[in-house]
């Protein structure tokens, strides 16, 4: 007997010594790295970086884990009570490890509850990554216990509860109590009711199983369990719990990701700029900042009201123009694709459907046949959800999405360059290619003319009243500009008239006058564009650039035009005011970058000439949209109506817009419909009409006037044509009321108010496909098929200069082989 007793005590003390040894080894890092005392005293977790608008509105986030910290005082007591009652009822009594729970877990092998305390779970959230290997997990538990004890020594119970609630996952890639409250109930965490707190705490046992968005019934059952636990712990009266358990869960779910929130196109480009910033700036420990982990706060210049107005303007006009395009014969019959089979083939080969089937070893001929099979799917549509259920072949889906008209719109403060609104396309969820930023370039057409005229006045002695000749010009080896004489009247006119009616031949004449022989005129103009206007795009010094035969981004055109309302000062568009770290310390502040490039007299002369464009010339239809005040602008149209532009400004606001299809052969055949005055100008007008009538927008005065310089050597007059009839040989853009003479718009096609992109409820767009709206695939209805949706923690990189050619909706993907 004595022998067995000795053996027992040897095993007992040996085991005890072994456990002590294991703990000592773990504590000193022999079993894996342990956090230092400094790490424990200053715990950190991955925090999402947040983007704020001009008024402090949260626009969106960049994250790997969607987490934002909050202080204890900003958390509802109901959340803390529910947490303690459910997860660790002796939380306020133990010192990190709960002996009773540990014994219970050991005796019942975890069937009656685990041994982890809130403090241990906090240690796990902060310092360990969960591992399914049982041996590794045991070692992790030991380390978590040690860390828990150290946490208890360094923090109060309230601080530990706050650390836990800031780091715990709530499903849907939402971390922390603040994000959970905002995502599921659209509330700050201190406003959560008892039953809402119970729902969120209930999710901690299984963030997917008890997710009220996905499993409302299971979530309700779990919530009631939490309420019962609160009664048991004396945090809640039994009769009150009984009442609360009868209530349904009332969610107000809205999750901010890359497709939701204000200005998704803007935030994509901002994200790319911020990643560059992070590579150039280091933290105190020498590491570069990480946009997705370091909880940066990025304050932007975007005005939320203007942003919504811009999105509404785009939706209203682009949906209208799309109906007109869809009614065009080559679109209806599909003949627009007659000579472009290679584009469709390349688009098919870039889809996930093609890649997946190719990976499965299926022959390309069979893969191609699958694109002809009618399939139920969701596609983009111009409605308040931007989606519709339909049946069409994957090939028709490619055509359908590629035939969508696209747009870019940007508004900025005319003096400071602060960007107020940015709309990079018609629907970010489907078409992630941004049409505003520097990398997206299109031919600018006649919007180039005010820049040439500025050079002529500034350096060549021209005035608005200088006589110019509307005649085709020869530029030696470069040939003649313009290429044909059909728009040349051959007559003389003041330069102001040439701009008002966008005269190509007269503009070529002005270009030639910049140099005696005309051979160096284009080089002189390019130098002006690069050094004075701020264009960074490499431009070939061909005389045809006078007519806009060069590709430039809308972003650059905004900077180039800024010298006009800026009274001679060019200002670079600016969209960040400051960047802060997670603790609110300012890392960098930004101020406008302005420089004088032309005289105030030149700027004012061009302003008055461009007012003539709006009063009597190609932009005169703008007054049909309810706008008022002093407006200057210029329309632009490229060959075959592939690109439509309008650049316009008031004394306080500069806005620009472009409209066209990513595939340039898809365009309006009717001359008047596809021009800048018809296709682009209305977006500007719809936007400004709302802005000038919104008294809540600071800094916009519809009665503001352009300031005339103290010394103005020339008066500007339009008496030559009295503002009634354009001179012979006008370029052909809409004059007067904007009615079209070469195409009659069907009476059933009218502009309609459609919700702004930022106002679309994600829940509506993400519903599974129901009964399709159509039972037959359309012959052709078309555009870039939606690029595959990115994970919530990524922001898509903007392509260099070419739009995406493809990517079908997930609904089109063939089932994977078992």
């Amino acid at each position: 007997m004595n022998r067995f007793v000795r053996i027992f005590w040897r095993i007992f003390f040996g085991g005890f010594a072994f456990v002590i040894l294991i703990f000592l080894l773990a504590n000193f890092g022999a079993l894996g790295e342990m956090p230092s005392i400094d790490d424990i005293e200053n715990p950190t977790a991955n925090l999402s970086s947040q983007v704020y608008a001009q008024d402090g509105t949260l626009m969106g986030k960049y994250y790997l884990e969607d987490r934002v910290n909050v202080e204890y005082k900003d958390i509802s007591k109901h959340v803390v009570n529910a947490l303690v009652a459910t997860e660790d009822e002796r939380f306020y009594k133990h010192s990190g490890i709960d002996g009773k729970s540990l014994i219970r877990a050991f005796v019942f092998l975890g069937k009656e509850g685990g041994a982890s305390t809130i403090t241990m779970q906090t240690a796990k959230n902060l310092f360990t990554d969960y591992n399914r290997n049982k041996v590794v997990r045991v070692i992790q538990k030991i380390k978590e216990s040690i860390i828990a004890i150290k946490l208890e020594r360094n923090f109060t119970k309230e601080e530990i509860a706050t650390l836990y609630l800031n780091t715990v996952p709530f499903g849907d890639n939402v971390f922390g109590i603040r994000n959970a409250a905002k995502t599921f109930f659209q509330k700050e965490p201190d406003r959560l009711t008892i039953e809402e707190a119970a729902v969120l705490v209930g999710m901690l046992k299984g963030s997917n199983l008890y997710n009220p968005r996905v499993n409302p019934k299971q979530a309700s059952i779990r919530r009631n369990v939490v309420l019962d636990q609160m009664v048991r712990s004396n945090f809640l009266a039994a009769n009150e719990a009984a009442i609360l358990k009868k209530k349904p869960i009332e969610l107000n779910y809205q999750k901010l990701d890359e497709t939701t929130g204000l200005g998704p196109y803007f935030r994509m480009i901002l994200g790319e700029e911020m990643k560059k910033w992070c590579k150039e700036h280091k933290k105190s420990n020498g590491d570069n900042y990480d946009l997705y982990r370091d909880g940066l706060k990025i304050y932007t210049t975007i005005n939320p009201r203007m942003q919504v107005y811009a999105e509404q303007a785009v939706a209203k006009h682009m949906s209208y123009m799309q109906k007109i395009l869809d009614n065009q014969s080559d679109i209806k019959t599909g003949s627009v694709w007659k000579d472009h089979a290679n584009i469709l083939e390349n688009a098919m080969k870039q889809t996930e459907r093609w890649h997946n089937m190719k990976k499965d070893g299926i022959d390309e001929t069979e893969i191609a046949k699958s694109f002809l099979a009618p399939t139920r799917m969701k596609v983009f549509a111009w409605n308040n959800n931007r989606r519709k259920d339909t049946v069409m072949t994957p090939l028709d889906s490619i055509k359908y999405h590629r035939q969508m008209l696209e747009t870019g719109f940007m508004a900025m403060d005319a003096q400071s360059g602060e960007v107020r609104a940015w709309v990079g396309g018609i629907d970010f969820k489907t078409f992630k290619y941004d049409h505003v930023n520097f990398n997206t370039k299109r031919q600018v057409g006649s919007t180039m003319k005010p820049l040439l005229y500025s050079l002529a006045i500034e350096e060549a002695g021209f005035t608005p009243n200088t006589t110019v000749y509307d005649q085709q010009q020869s530029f030696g080896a470069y040939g003649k500009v313009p290429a044909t004489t059909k728009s040349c009247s051959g007559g003389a006119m003041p330069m102001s008239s040439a701009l008002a009616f966008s005269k190509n031949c007269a503009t070529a004449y002005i270009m030639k006058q910049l140099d005696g022989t005309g051979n160096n005129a284009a080089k002189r103009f390019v130098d002006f564009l690069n050094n004075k206007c701020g264009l960074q795009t490499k431009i070939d010094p061909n005389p045809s650039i006078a007519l806009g035969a060069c590709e430039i981004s809308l972003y650059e055109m905004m900077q180039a035009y800024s010298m006009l309302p800026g009274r001679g000062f060019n200002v670079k568009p600016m969209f960040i005011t400051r960047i802060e770290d997670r603790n609110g310390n300012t890392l960098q502040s930004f101020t406008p970058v302005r420089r004088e490039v032309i005289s105030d007299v030149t700027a004012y002369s061009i302003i008055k000439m461009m007012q003539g464009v709006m009063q009597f010339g190609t932009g005169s239809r703008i007054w049909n949209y309810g706008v008022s005040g002093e407006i200057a602008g210029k329309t632009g149209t490229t060959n075959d109506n592939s690109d439509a532009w309008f650049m316009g400004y008031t004394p306080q606001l500069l806005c620009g817009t472009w409209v066209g299809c990513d595939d340039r052969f898809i365009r309006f055949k009717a001359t008047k419909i596809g021009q800048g005055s018809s296709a682009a100008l209305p977006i500007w007008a719809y936007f400004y009409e709302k802005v000038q009538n919104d008294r809540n927008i600071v800094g916009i005065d519809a009665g503001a006037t352009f300031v005339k310089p103290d010394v103005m050597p020339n008066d500007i007059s339009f008496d030559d044509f009295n503002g009634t009839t354009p001179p012979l040989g006008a370029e052909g853009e809409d004059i007067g009321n904007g009615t079209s003479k070469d195409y009659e718009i069907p009476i059933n096609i009218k502009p309609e108010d459609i919700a702004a992109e930022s106002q679309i409820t994600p829940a509506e767009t993400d519903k599974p496909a129901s009964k399709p709206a159509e039972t037959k695939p359309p012959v052709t209805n078309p555009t870039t098929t939606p690029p595959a949706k990115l994970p919530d923690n990524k922001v898509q990189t903007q392509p260099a200069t070419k739009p995406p050619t493809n990517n079908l909706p997930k609904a089109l993907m063939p089932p994977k082989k078992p």
Side-chain angles (χ1 to χ4, degrees):
M1 185 70 179
N2 290 336
R3 181 185 174 193
F4 287 109
V5 171
R6 287 194 301 270
I7 293 174
F8 170 79
W9 285 113
R10 285 175 182 174
I11 294 175
F12 176 81
F13 285 113
F16 183 76
F18 178 75
V19 170
I20 296 297
L21 177 63
I22 291 295
F23 270 80
L24 288 172
L25 290 172
N27 184 55
F28 290 106
L31 301 182
E33 186 179 1
M34 284 285 285
S36 65
I37 295 297
D38 185 61
D39 289 333
I40 292 174
E41 290 179 345
N42 301 280
T44 60
N46 292 339
L47 294 183
S48 58
S49 292
Q50 301 174 84
V51 180
Y52 294 96
Q54 182 188 28
D55 65 351
T57 299
L58 179 63
M59 295 180 64
K61 307 172 186 177
Y62 305 104
Y63 54 82
L64 296 175
E65 296 177 349
D66 187 4
R67 188 199 319 272
V68 177
N69 283 347
V70 66
E71 296 181 12
Y72 182 82
K73 64 182 178 60
D74 296 319
I75 303 174
S76 168
K77 67 176 182 179
H78 305 310
V79 174
V80 178
N81 291 343
L83 175 67
V84 172
T86 308
E87 296 293 320
D88 189 359
E89 59 185 359
R90 283 179 291 278
F91 174 64
Y92 294 107
K93 299 178 181 178
H94 63 67
S95 297
I97 300 176
D98 184 359
K100 289 184 178 181
S101 296
L102 189 63
I103 294 172
R104 181 191 63 201
F106 180 78
V107 172
F108 295 100
L109 301 178
K111 295 180 180 179
E112 297 297 321
S116 288
T117 63
I118 289 176
T119 315
M120 291 173 67
Q121 292 180 53
T122 302
K124 181 183 73 172
N125 293 341
L126 288 171
F127 300 110
T128 62
D129 294 320
Y130 181 79
N131 194 302
R132 292 185 178 275
N133 183 288
K134 291 183 179 180
V135 175
V136 175
R137 188 68 195 121
V138 168
I139 295 174
Q140 286 183 335
K141 281 284 187 181
I142 294 172
K143 294 166 68 175
E144 288 164 12
S145 300
I146 296 170
I147 296 171
I149 294 172
K150 293 181 178 180
L151 285 173
E152 290 277 352
R153 290 177 179 175
N154 287 276
F155 296 96
T156 65
K157 289 292 185 179
E158 288 77 12
E159 289 171 333
I160 292 172
T162 304
L163 278 173
Y164 175 79
L165 288 169
N166 278 333
T167 56
V168 71
F170 285 90
D172 290 354
N173 199 24
V174 172
F175 290 76
I177 187 62
R178 185 177 188 274
N179 277 355
K182 293 287 288 184
T183 299
F184 288 94
F185 298 107
Q186 293 300 297
K187 290 183 175 182
E188 291 294 337
D190 60 346
R191 304 295 178 87
L192 291 170
T193 62
I194 297 175
E195 63 272 24
E196 290 168 346
V199 169
L200 295 180
V201 171
M203 292 175 66
L204 302 181
K205 187 175 178 65
S207 56
N208 292 319
L209 177 62
Y210 300 115
N211 186 324
R213 180 183 65 85
V214 179
N215 297 310
K217 184 176 180 180
Q218 292 295 326
S220 181
I221 293 172
R222 179 60 185 167
R223 175 201 64 180
N224 293 346
V225 170
V226 174
L227 293 173
D228 286 338
Q229 289 294 105
M230 293 179 73
V231 171
R232 175 182 170 182
S233 298
N234 297 317
F235 291 128
L236 182 66
N239 59 341
E240 186 177 0
I243 296 173
L244 295 176
K245 286 194 288 186
K246 294 178 181 179
K247 288 186 175 183
I249 297 176
E250 297 180 0
L251 289 183
N252 185 6
Y253 186 91
Q254 185 173 345
K255 188 176 188 300
L256 284 180
D257 58 22
E258 85 276 7
T259 65
T260 60
L262 274 175
Y265 284 100
F266 167 76
R267 285 185 283 111
M268 177 181 72
I269 300 303
L270 174 66
E272 293 307 306
E273 291 300 313
M274 283 303 303
K275 281 189 275 189
K276 293 177 185 176
W277 183 92
C278 288
K279 289 181 179 179
E280 298 168 355
H281 294 80
K282 297 183 181 296
K283 296 179 285 188
S284 57
N285 63 2
D287 294 337
N288 288 103
Y289 281 98
D290 189 323
L291 180 64
Y292 299 104
R293 300 175 185 272
D294 286 335
L296 300 175
K297 297 176 182 178
I298 307 149
Y299 295 89
T300 74
T301 61
I302 295 294
N303 182 297
R305 302 180 76 85
M306 288 191 186
Q307 180 66 34
V308 170
Y309 291 154
E311 292 176 9
Q312 289 174 342
V314 163
K316 183 173 184 176
H317 185 61
M318 294 304 291
S319 60
Y320 170 66
M321 295 303 292
Q322 190 64 51
K323 291 175 186 176
I324 298 174
L325 181 63
D326 289 346
N327 196 57
Q328 192 168 279
S329 61
D330 64 341
I331 302 296
K332 293 173 72 174
T333 63
S335 62
V336 70
W337 295 101
K338 182 179 179 181
D339 299 320
H340 303 286
N342 61 318
I343 292 178
L344 294 176
E345 182 180 354
N346 290 335
M348 286 193 298
K349 289 183 177 181
Q350 292 181 36
T351 63
E352 287 186 35
R353 165 182 282 270
W354 188 284
H355 290 161
N356 290 340
M357 295 180 74
K358 186 75 173 176
K359 187 177 180 180
D360 290 338
I362 301 175
D363 182 74
E364 287 195 359
T365 303
E366 294 301 315
I367 298 176
K369 287 181 180 179
S370 74
F371 280 80
L372 304 178
T375 306
R376 179 182 296 186
M377 65 183 75
K378 280 182 177 290
V379 296
F380 169 80
W382 274 118
N383 54 40
N384 286 335
N385 297 327
R386 303 296 197 274
R387 296 290 177 275
K388 71 176 181 180
D389 295 335
T390 190
V391 170
M392 65 172 69
T393 69
L395 180 59
D396 279 334
S397 173
I398 292 175
K399 295 177 181 178
Y400 174 82
H401 287 95
R402 294 187 81 92
Q403 289 167 194
M404 288 292 163
L405 282 166
E406 279 291 352
T407 189
F409 177 87
M410 178 175 163
M412 76 180 197
D413 186 287
Q415 308 302 320
S416 69
E418 294 183 353
V419 177
R420 300 301 183 212
W422 180 308
V423 183
I426 58 174
D427 178 52
F428 183 76
K429 188 167 187 177
T430 306
F431 309 97
K432 287 184 169 59
Y433 188 72
D434 179 87
H435 296 85
V436 173
N437 77 102
F438 173 82
N439 290 322
T440 304
K441 305 176 193 296
R442 298 288 291 233
Q443 280 202 10
V444 296
S446 294
T447 55
M448 179 65 82
K449 292 173 182 175
L451 305 180
L452 175 66
Y453 287 36
S454 297
L455 172 59
I457 293 176
E458 181 73 8
E459 298 183 9
F462 279 65
T463 73
N465 295 323
T466 296
T467 299
V468 298
Y469 296 91
D470 194 35
Q471 300 170 352
Q472 186 183 49
Q473 303 295 311
S474 177
F475 288 88
Y478 289 105
K480 295 182 178 181
V481 179
T484 67
T485 60
K486 65 179 181 179
S487 64
C488 299
S489 68
M493 65 188 70
M495 187 166 72
S496 58
S497 298
L499 184 62
F501 296 108
S502 203
K503 299 293 291 176
N504 283 344
C505 299
T507 301
Y509 171 84
I510 295 170
M511 167 70 96
K512 191 163 186 178
Q513 306 316 302
L514 296 179
D515 177 71
T517 62
N519 293 330
N520 295 316
K523 293 181 180 178
R524 185 176 180 184
F525 186 35
V526 169
D527 182 69
F528 178 77
L529 293 174
N530 292 147
N531 297 327
K532 296 295 182 71
C533 298
L535 299 185
Q536 298 178 42
T537 294
K538 183 178 180 180
I539 300 174
D540 182 32
N542 190 306
S544 62
I545 62 174
L547 309 183
C550 54
E551 297 189 351
I552 302 172
S553 66
L554 174 57
Y555 182 87
E556 290 177 281
M557 289 299 287
M558 291 289 286
Q559 179 172 351
Y561 265 65
S562 68
M563 66 184 179
L564 303 175
R567 301 182 65 182
F569 282 83
N570 176 287
V571 62
K572 184 178 180 179
M574 164 184 153
F575 45 77
I576 304 175
T577 56
R578 74 180 185 278
I579 301 170
E580 294 179 353
D581 66 13
R582 66 173 67 197
N583 299 314
N585 300 310
T586 299
L587 300 176
Q588 186 171 356
S589 295
F590 300 83
T591 56
V593 179
R594 303 178 76 232
R595 62 190 181 96
E596 189 172 13
V597 295
I598 58 175
S599 70
D600 194 3
V601 170
T602 297
Y604 187 75
S605 297
I606 296 296
I607 287 171
K608 298 306 290 183
M609 293 168 67
M610 293 179 72
Q611 283 186 283
V613 174
M614 309 311 294
Q615 293 164 359
F616 315 115
T618 60
S620 58
R621 69 181 294 155
I622 198 167
W623 310 110
N624 297 331
Y625 294 90
V627 298
S628 61
E630 294 200 355
I631 300 174
K634 184 69 188 78
T635 57
T637 311
T638 63
N639 292 341
D640 299 321
N641 295 334
S642 292
D643 303 274
W645 289 78
F646 180 70
M647 302 291 296
Y649 53 89
T650 70
Q652 299 161 322
L653 195 64
L654 169 62
C655 312
T657 183
W658 164 88
V659 172
C661 284
D662 287 331
D663 290 312
R664 303 184 192 198
F665 62 86
I666 303 175
R667 58 185 182 270
F668 287 103
K669 302 301 182 184
T671 303
K672 304 273 185 181
I673 295 299
Q675 292 185 333
S677 55
S678 301
L681 179 149
I683 294 177
W684 197 104
Y686 285 136
F687 168 76
Y688 188 64
E689 188 275 332
K690 287 181 177 291
V691 168
Q692 72 173 15
N693 290 312
D694 188 340
R695 296 182 179 180
N696 292 312
I697 296 179
V698 178
I700 300 298
D701 178 9
T705 59
F706 293 106
V707 179
K708 185 177 181 179
D710 294 333
V711 179
M712 191 70 195
N714 298 100
D715 290 328
I716 301 174
S717 159
F718 292 89
D719 290 341
D720 299 87
F721 50 89
N722 296 317
T724 55
T725 306
L728 202 56
E731 185 184 12
E733 297 197 53
D734 288 349
I735 306 295
N737 62 14
T739 58
S740 174
K741 297 179 180 179
D742 65 343
Y743 179 78
E744 186 175 344
I745 299 174
I747 193 171
N748 64 321
I749 297 180
K750 297 179 180 179
E752 298 180 54
D753 290 319
I754 296 179
E757 183 172 15
S758 298
Q759 297 173 325
I760 298 172
T761 304
E764 290 298 315
T765 63
D766 292 334
K767 288 181 179 178
S770 58
K771 185 178 179 180
E774 299 175 24
T775 57
K776 296 181 180 179
V779 177
T780 59
N781 280 20
T783 252
T784 9
T785 70
K789 185 177 183 294
L790 295 174
D792 286 346
N793 62 340
K794 294 294 182 184
V795 176
Q796 178 161 323
T797 301
Q798 175 69 15
T801 56
K802 294 184 179 180
T805 54
N806 62 336
N807 286 9
L808 294 172
K810 290 182 178 179
L812 303 189
M813 303 307 148
K816 292 185 177 181
K817 289 184 177 181

